Amino acid sequence: SYELTQPPSVSVYPGQTANITCSGDKLGHKYAYWYQQNPGQSPVLVIYQDRKRPSGIPERFSGSNSGNTATLTISGTQAIDEADYYCQTWDSSTGVFGAGTKLTVL
Amino acid sequence: QVQLQESGPGLVKPSETLSLTCSISGGFISDYYWTWVRQPPGKGLEWIGYISYNGDTNYNPSLKSRVTISLGTSKNHFSLKLNSVTAADTAVYYCARVTGPPVLGSGALDYWGQGILITVSS
């Protein structure tokens, strides 16, 4: 079965850039999606189709996807960005999530 | 604004069937795909399966033998059944809308319910 690999944790200082990676076999040939989840809340879509931002998502969130790795980039990270982030893709119509990355804003 | 709401019993006994309903307001089932995702306490998200507006389904291979997702009799809800549950099925269960056909890989989960905690225990 298809697998997506994320680092368990990423730390960043306020104002710096956070990069969260998601790796999978030929992931660049598929679309990658990113979700933000705060404690006790439902996930929120922050990036879809590799690099598109839904309405209401700040411009500091961006995405890329090439080769075997998709990356969620948060520029000028703020304290409110501290959350769990999950990547997701579809493999033969089957949904696949990464294990999640906890972003800590120091 | 589309809103989704999960409902069902919070406690299910081992070996029994978990049944949940997702009610949709502010929109209809037509033209979209709909999915269930679960999250065990303290763990990550697990995709369960989806159903299309015309009833096509696909399930997580690890759950396929125990899962059924179906459309409601009205156009504003769909359901999940998971049979032969064990403690490992204890999780928060979410329903969500999928914006495009998964077969094309183009579907984002853009609206989510608030989730419902289901505990499997005797």
Side-chain angles (χ1 to χ4, degrees), chain B residues 59-106:
Chain B
Y59 303 125
N60 186 324
S62 68
L63 299 171
K64 188 173 185 176
S65 63
R66 299 193 291 130
V67 173
T68 303
I69 298 175
S70 57
L71 298 176
T73 51
S74 67
K75 292 184 185 285
N76 64 350
H77 72 272
F78 63 103
S79 301
L80 168 71
K81 289 188 186 299
L82 179 67
N83 57 36
S84 304
V85 298
T86 70
D89 295 311
T90 293
V92 174
Y93 286 75
Y94 297 99
C95 59
R97 189 179 80 170
V98 186
T99 59
V103 68
L104 300 179
S106 59

Side-chain angles (χ1 to χ4, degrees), chain A residues 31 33 35 37 42 86 90 93, chain B residues 39 50 58 103 105-107 109 113:
Chain A
Y31 280 128
Y33 303 85
Y35 303 88
Q37 187 180 34
S42 304
Y86 295 89
W90 297 96
S93 299
Chain B
Q39 185 170 36
Y50 73 74
N58 195 34
V103 68
S106 59
L109 281 60

Side-chain angles (χ1 to χ4, degrees), chain A residues 1 30-31 33 35 37 40-45 47-49 84 86 88-100, chain B residues 35 37 39 43-47 50 58-61 94 98-100 102-110 112-115:
Chain A
S1 60
K30 308 176 188 294
Y31 280 128
Y33 303 85
Y35 303 88
Q37 187 180 34
Q41 298 187 17
S42 304
V44 173
L45 177 69
I47 293 290
Y48 67 100
Q49 292 183 2
D84 293 326
Y86 295 89
Q88 180 253 319
T89 193
W90 297 96
D91 178 65
S92 300
S93 299
T94 297
V96 181
F97 283 99
Chain B
T35 193
V37 175
Q39 185 170 36
K43 296 189 178 181
L45 302 172
E46 180 182 29
W47 181 76
Y50 73 74
N58 195 34
Y59 303 125
N60 186 324
Y94 297 99
V98 186
T99 59
V103 68
L104 300 179
S106 59
L109 281 60
D110 64 343
W112 294 67
Q114 67 183 27

Side-chain angles (χ1 to χ4, degrees), chain A residues 27-87:
Chain A
L27 180 56
H29 292 186
K30 308 176 188 294
Y31 280 128
Y33 303 85
W34 291 93
Y35 303 88
Q36 177 193 66
Q37 187 180 34
N38 288 297
Q41 298 187 17
S42 304
V44 173
L45 177 69
V46 294
I47 293 290
Y48 67 100
Q49 292 183 2
D50 298 337
R51 58 181 63 248
K52 299 178 181 178
R53 274 181 298 104
S55 173
I57 300 302
E59 290 185 6
R60 64 179 180 274
F61 288 87
S62 63
S64 63
N65 186 15
S66 180
N68 294 321
T69 303
T71 303
L72 172 69
T73 299
I74 309 173
S75 304
T77 305
Q78 300 182 9
I80 58 171
D81 300 328
E82 185 165 288
D84 293 326
Y85 291 86
Y86 295 89
C87 60

